[in-house]
Amino acid sequence: MNKKISFVNFLMKVCTVKKLSILIMITAFAGLISCSTSENAQQRNQSTIPQLSEAPRPVPDPRVGLQAGVFDAEEAIWNLRKMSSTPPTEDFLGAVNSDLAFKGNYVIQGNYNGFMVWDLTNPEDPQLVVDYLCPASQSDVSVYEDLLFVSGEGLGGRLDCGSEGVPETVSEVRLRGIRIFDISDIKNPKYISNVQTCRGSHTHSVLKDPDDNENVYVYVSGSAMVRPEEELPGCSDLLPEDDPNSALFRIEVIQVPLSNPEEAAIVNSPRIFEDLEAAPSHGLAPADLEEIEQAKADGKFVGHFYGRERIISGRFITELLNEIVEERGGNGDPTAADSSALRENLQEMLDERMAERSTGEDDRGPNQCHDITLYPEIGLAGGACEGYGLLLDISDPVKPVRVDAVADSNFAYWHSATFNNDGSKVLFTDEWGGGTQPKCRATDPMEWGANAIFTVEKDSMNFKSYYKMPAAQTPQENCVAHNGSLIPIPGRDIMVQSWYQGGVSIFDWTDPENPIEIAYHDRGPVHAEQPVLAGSWSVYWYNGMIVSSEIARGLDIFELTPSDFLTENEIAAANTVKLTYLNAQGQPKYVWPPTFELMHAYLDQLQREREHDLDFIESIRDGLDKAEEANGSEKALLLNQLARQLEVEANGSTHKSKTRVLARTMKTMSSKI
């Protein structure tokens, strides 16, 4: 070591002679020592980047026990900086904020009352551009160029965007499907068209086929009851064997001509669920069993339907009591005898009701999807469809084809999917409890209401592990896996995800068998004693910002901060990726421009992974610093020298691919100089 330091000191001295600098650099690389070894380099040698498994994290977890409040709840944040929190506008306060879509410097935030457009030019102070009142749950939003698509599924949505609802069972003014707006002037959206569907649109996904520049396609997932044929001709809720045109067991594909979007129409209704059997399911969680036993002890009504014991809601009990009163020919309020009769005959009455509602689908698989994530660059889609996760071939956008399907007894409701950037993995979320219930309690199994991570190998999916936000939440906090997106950290699979009142969690799933949380933000519950719907509905990375749609509290914007889990260089490299628009359900492929930020990020990862000697890493780092300071041909020469050195070193590394990616990045930048 002493000899090496002496040699370094020697090189530092001779490097002050400008004319010899290039020659000395070449000599230094050959000896694995840079002539530019400096005090900074020696300091870096003393401060290593820890491996993920060794990096410290807050203990105890500060998310546990946060104080309640609507806009003043206690917060916990780690490895993030909150840039702003902006409450909803007056017309949207109290209504549910839903999904997000991005265009330019704007984010469109869906709301059950319509949508809001925010200008994010200054993320510290987002400015409202327009709040467009147009009620229809759940206002899932997507954009493409000058078009905005909005989902409508609820029975109260109107064609004219009126807020008075639709009380009639059958009505010509009801909107259930896709609304299309012209947002060429985003401050003044124009409602130009709609496409009605039999089951409405709970969610949708916009597909831009790389080989079709004249159209975009919208995949519609409707999960509500089929509307009567009297309201929309052709709608049928019969089983397919009884009516081949049944609206069950299919999705809708809408073709939108970009030159005439008002001519958008359904062009196919593929039956991607055919031949799937009913998926396995799990029972009740320990906390749910305790709640049921307590309900019985308190004298509440408990019955068995849809495969398990349930506490019967007060509204349903009132219906049943009124039925008993009517059957005995009475009127007025139910008596104690009526209540006793209900308690004695409750299960029989429930069985009759369930038999009336039965569609004959008990032994069948899903009849709809909740969400479909399209990844056109790899020709695949991930369909989260009730009891199954589907892998779809979308190379023909009009005719998606199922290539694989997986089920899991730990999953209750397959909700959404996210691919990693190269498409070798896919992650599915489980919305156990439907998003309105607390499913992150201390006693809830970590495999329930979690993510499931699969590798994608030759059109099949192979399970690797689960990931669930790890901090226990209270019974007053609705919490389960929900929407998120990849963060473009090069060389790693990192995702930001919403967990309703479980907050925002960022985790690394590069190793699909060992996902690990690396950052988070959380608030206390809205109410300390009563469950109130709130929390992050969706959170997505967009051009350096992490934007969260908070159901009750508005819009939160965060940025990553350097940590033991993520270096400043990795964050800087991610921020070189610039998108012109984003729909997380139409997943884009991230492409990093060849920059010094990118090269430094790869080098940090090689250091974190301990696949090269630290002296070698530092020599490359010093060389990179030197190249960054150089000009013209000298910069190109230095980068090529470093690239060759890395290629030689890659032959002895178990992480050859990343070392070679770094070398290729250097060569690419060199060729552009």
Side-chain angles (χ1 to χ4, degrees):
M1 180 60 74
N2 290 337
K3 289 183 179 179
K4 186 179 292 184
I5 292 174
S6 298
F7 186 46
V8 168
N9 290 336
F10 167 76
L11 290 175
M12 290 175 65
K13 291 179 181 178
V14 296
C15 276
T16 57
V17 183
K18 186 175 181 181
K19 292 183 179 179
L20 293 177
S21 60
I22 295 176
L23 175 62
I24 289 173
M25 283 299 296
I26 295 171
T27 304
F29 290 141
L32 302 182
I33 299 173
S34 169
C35 68
S36 64
T37 300
S38 61
E39 291 182 2
N40 288 339
Q42 291 179 27
Q43 290 171 0
R44 284 197 299 260
N45 267 316
Q46 297 170 4
S47 59
T48 61
I49 301 172
Q51 293 180 295
L52 291 183
S53 59
E54 298 174 349
R57 55 186 308 114
V59 178
D61 196 311
R63 289 171 288 186
V64 177
L66 293 172
Q67 297 299 306
V70 181
F71 294 108
D72 58 350
E74 190 178 5
E75 300 182 35
I77 192 165
W78 179 54
N79 297 336
L80 287 173
R81 183 177 80 86
K82 192 173 76 172
M83 305 177 78
S84 61
S85 289
T86 308
T89 61
E90 185 175 347
D91 282 340
F92 293 78
L93 189 63
V96 173
N97 287 319
S98 58
D99 211 356
L100 300 171
F102 299 84
K103 177 189 178 184
N105 289 333
Y106 302 99
V107 60
I108 297 103
Q109 183 178 27
N111 180 286
Y112 277 39
N113 275 353
F115 60 88
M116 292 168 280
V117 180
W118 300 92
D119 185 342
L120 302 181
T121 302
N122 179 7
E124 306 264 0
D125 185 21
Q127 295 298 305
L128 180 70
V129 175
V130 62
D131 52 348
Y132 196 102
L133 194 62
C134 188
S137 65
Q138 58 182 9
S139 297
D140 198 39
V141 288
S142 295
V143 296
Y144 182 76
E145 294 185 345
D146 290 334
L147 298 177
L148 168 66
F149 304 94
V150 183
S151 284
E153 184 182 57
L155 298 177
R158 296 177 59 90
L159 288 171
D160 60 4
C161 287
S163 58
E164 60 268 42
V166 185
E168 296 82 7
T169 304
V170 175
S171 174
E172 295 181 350
V173 303
R174 178 175 284 121
L175 179 284
R176 294 179 67 198
I178 295 290
R179 301 184 197 269
I180 304 176
F181 293 84
D182 180 342
I183 54 170
S184 53
D185 178 4
I186 202 165
K187 297 179 181 178
N188 296 289
K190 294 180 180 177
Y191 186 7
I192 59 174
S193 182
N194 63 73
V195 179
Q196 298 263 31
T197 65
C198 291
R199 304 185 70 178
S201 173
H202 188 68
T203 66
H204 69 266
S205 310
V206 173
L207 171 57
K208 172 62 182 70
D209 182 2
D211 299 324
D212 184 351
N213 292 322
E214 297 181 354
N215 306 283
V216 293
Y217 299 87
V218 181
Y219 285 16
V220 177
S221 300
S223 58
M225 56 178 286
V226 178
R227 68 167 89 189
E229 186 172 15
E230 293 79 6
E231 183 168 286
L232 186 64
C235 292
S236 165
D237 63 356
L238 297 175
L239 294 175
E241 56 265 35
D242 297 325
D243 183 351
N245 295 319
S246 171
L248 303 178
F249 300 96
R250 75 186 198 196
I251 62 170
E252 317 294 350
V253 179
I254 295 173
Q255 185 182 53
V256 184
L258 292 173
S259 57
N260 296 293
E262 63 276 7
E263 295 180 2
I266 297 173
V267 293
N268 193 19
S269 300
R271 297 195 180 281
I272 58 176
F273 315 110
E274 283 185 345
D275 304 324
L276 291 175
E277 298 178 349
S281 61
H282 57 69
L284 295 171
D288 296 325
L289 291 170
E290 288 181 13
E291 185 179 7
I292 286 179
E293 293 306 313
Q294 186 61 50
K296 290 178 179 176
D298 294 341
K300 296 180 179 178
F301 291 90
V302 175
H304 193 279
F305 59 96
Y306 290 145
R308 67 175 175 84
E309 273 194 313
R310 299 170 188 269
I311 301 170
I312 313 301
S313 70
R315 180 179 176 182
F316 193 31
I317 290 299
T318 299
E319 287 182 22
L320 296 175
L321 284 171
N322 290 337
E323 187 177 311
I324 290 174
V325 171
E326 185 178 349
E327 286 180 354
R328 66 173 168 79
N331 52 51
D333 294 335
T335 65
D338 295 327
S339 183
S340 296
L342 175 59
R343 196 170 295 281
E344 183 176 344
N345 299 295
L346 176 62
Q347 191 58 52
E348 182 180 349
M349 296 177 74
L350 289 175
D351 291 342
E352 290 177 0
R353 289 291 186 102
M354 294 305 111
E356 292 172 1
R357 296 179 183 181
S358 175
T359 60
E361 302 176 32
D362 293 349
D363 59 346
R364 295 177 183 243
N367 70 44
Q368 52 96 8
C369 278
H370 181 275
D371 216 334
I372 301 174
T373 295
L374 309 163
Y375 198 174
E377 284 79 2
I378 63 172
L380 294 174
C385 308
E386 293 187 321
Y388 280 85
L390 308 185
L391 191 64
L392 305 172
D393 182 340
I394 56 169
S395 51
D396 181 346
V398 177
K399 300 176 180 177
V401 176
R402 189 179 84 226
V403 295
D404 195 20
V406 291
D408 184 340
S409 60
N410 284 321
F411 260 45
Y413 191 79
W414 296 66
H415 175 272
S416 53
T418 302
F419 290 92
N420 70 334
N421 199 54
D422 67 11
S424 62
K425 304 169 199 163
V426 63
L427 175 154
F428 286 95
T429 65
D430 172 20
E431 197 184 37
W432 173 38
T436 61
Q437 299 177 30
K439 297 300 182 184
C440 304
R441 297 160 295 190
T443 57
D444 288 331
M446 293 298 285
E447 297 82 5
W448 297 4
N451 302 327
I453 298 171
F454 298 80
T455 54
V456 179
E457 301 168 19
K458 296 181 180 179
D459 292 340
S460 66
M461 295 180 286
N462 298 301
F463 172 78
K464 294 299 177 182
S465 69
Y466 300 103
Y467 172 80
K468 187 172 186 177
M469 185 280 298
Q473 304 292 296
T474 69
Q476 286 72 47
E477 293 171 285
N478 53 305
C479 176
V480 75
H482 212 232
N483 296 334
S485 73
L486 285 184
I487 299 175
I489 304 297
R492 298 172 68 182
D493 301 325
I494 291 181
M495 181 169 168
V496 59
Q497 185 179 11
S498 63
W499 291 80
Y500 292 108
Q501 289 200 71
V504 169
S505 177
I506 297 176
F507 58 98
D508 184 319
W509 52 301
T510 309
D511 179 353
E513 296 181 346
N514 295 288
I516 181 172
E517 186 176 51
I518 65 171
Y520 57 69
H521 170 263
D522 190 18
R523 288 185 172 93
V526 171
H527 194 283
E529 299 176 355
Q530 299 293 331
V532 177
L533 184 66
S536 179
W537 177 290
S538 301
V539 61
Y540 304 129
W541 182 95
Y542 184 70
N543 293 346
M545 298 173 284
I546 292 174
V547 184
S548 171
S549 178
E550 221 284 357
I551 291 172
R553 291 146 166 153
L555 193 72
D556 291 322
I557 303 179
F558 306 91
E559 66 175 356
L560 292 163
T561 58
S563 69
D564 287 333
F565 298 86
L566 200 59
T567 68
E568 184 175 0
N569 291 322
E570 291 176 301
I571 296 171
N575 292 344
T576 63
V577 175
K578 299 298 180 186
L579 304 175
T580 56
Y581 75 99
L582 173 67
N583 306 306
Q585 293 77 27
Q587 191 170 332
K589 189 177 184 67
Y590 293 135
V591 178
W592 293 267
T595 62
F596 280 98
E597 289 91 343
L598 180 60
M599 291 183 277
H600 282 296
Y602 284 138
L603 202 51
D604 286 351
Q605 291 168 12
L606 289 175
Q607 182 171 341
R608 179 185 293 115
E609 293 157 7
R610 306 288 191 268
E611 295 302 329
H612 293 289
D613 178 81
L614 187 57
D615 285 339
F616 173 76
I617 294 288
E618 291 302 339
S619 72
I620 298 297
R621 199 182 297 281
D622 289 338
L624 205 51
D625 290 343
K626 194 78 173 178
E628 194 167 4
E629 295 170 359
N631 295 314
S633 59
E634 184 180 7
K635 183 190 292 283
L637 175 63
L638 293 175
L639 287 172
N640 278 323
Q641 291 287 351
L642 287 167
R644 282 200 288 274
Q645 185 65 34
L646 285 164
E647 288 171 341
V648 171
E649 190 70 14
N651 293 330
S653 169
T654 57
H655 276 219
K656 296 177 182 178
S657 61
K658 187 165 291 181
T659 305
R660 288 181 172 138
V661 167
L662 175 55
R664 282 200 300 273
T665 305
M666 290 174 171
K667 285 186 172 181
T668 301
M669 174 171 273
S670 174
S671 68
K672 294 179 180 297
I673 295 172

